[in-house]
């Protein structure tokens, strides 16, 4: 579900860029939320989907957020942001996927800076 949520946000981003249309942070967050809500786990997605990334830390640009705030700022070419949906079942486990996305300067494409995670890696044995 978390992977599908991430992919829904990326699909929306790709479609908008292909059409030359604006993309706002809240829209990508909502694309993730719709997938997780439909699967019945919406109450366990308890944070925004992502944030703008600056040169050293979180940046000043649009956040991928329709949870804490509704960030209606446009994602601007030449900036970077994270997509990191997650589901957390109290007392059981949590799953979160993160990747960072750079919007090309021409506004027509993007790059995932570290590649897409497709497998679950166990960090606790």
């Amino acid at each position: 579900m978390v992977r599908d949520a991430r992919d829904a946000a990326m699909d929306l981003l790709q479609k908008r860029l292909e059409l030359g249309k604006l993309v706002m942070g809240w829209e990508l967050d909502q694309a993730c939320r719709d997938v997780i809500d439909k699967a019945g786990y919406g109450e366990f997605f308890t944070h925004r989907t992502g944030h703008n990334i600056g040169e050293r830390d979180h940046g000043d640009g649009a956040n991928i957020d329709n949870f804490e705030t509704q960030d209606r700022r446009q994602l601007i070419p030449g900036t970077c942001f994270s997509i990191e949906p997650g589901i957390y079942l109290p007392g059981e486990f949590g799953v979160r996927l993160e990747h960072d996305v750079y919007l090309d300067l021409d506004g027509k494409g993007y790059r995932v800076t570290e590649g897409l995670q497709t497998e679950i890696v166990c960090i606790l044995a």
Side-chain angles (χ1 to χ4, degrees):
M1 286 178 287
V2 174
R3 183 199 60 219
D4 291 347
R6 175 203 63 195
D7 292 349
M10 297 308 295
D11 289 347
L12 176 60
L13 176 65
Q14 181 67 40
K15 287 176 187 171
R16 291 285 182 81
L17 292 176
E18 287 172 359
L19 294 171
K21 294 191 175 191
L22 298 177
V23 184
M24 291 181 266
W26 76 269
E27 295 174 300
L28 297 183
D29 181 89
Q30 193 59 53
C32 287
R33 259 170 228 297
D34 288 347
V35 170
I36 292 172
D37 285 343
K38 185 177 179 181
Y41 289 91
E43 68 183 288
F44 303 107
F45 184 8
T46 56
H47 58 81
R48 65 183 174 201
T49 293
H51 56 84
N52 181 264
I53 298 172
E55 291 181 18
R56 293 193 174 116
D57 201 348
H58 292 200
D60 295 328
N63 292 311
I64 312 307
D65 188 1
N66 197 28
F67 181 74
E68 297 169 11
T69 65
Q70 186 180 61
D71 200 325
R72 300 184 71 79
R73 293 179 289 171
Q74 175 187 352
L75 296 168
I76 299 171
T79 62
C80 189
F81 57 90
S82 66
I83 297 286
E84 47 186 299
I87 297 173
Y88 311 92
L89 301 177
E92 294 183 47
F93 71 97
V95 175
R96 184 179 202 157
L97 286 176
E98 177 176 352
H99 65 254
D100 301 330
V101 180
Y102 173 78
L103 291 180
D104 293 340
L105 286 171
D106 64 8
K108 296 179 182 178
Y110 66 87
R111 285 176 264 159
V112 176
T113 61
E114 295 294 326
L116 289 176
Q117 181 179 350
T118 58
E119 298 176 12
I120 295 176
V121 178
C122 181
I123 58 173
L124 298 174

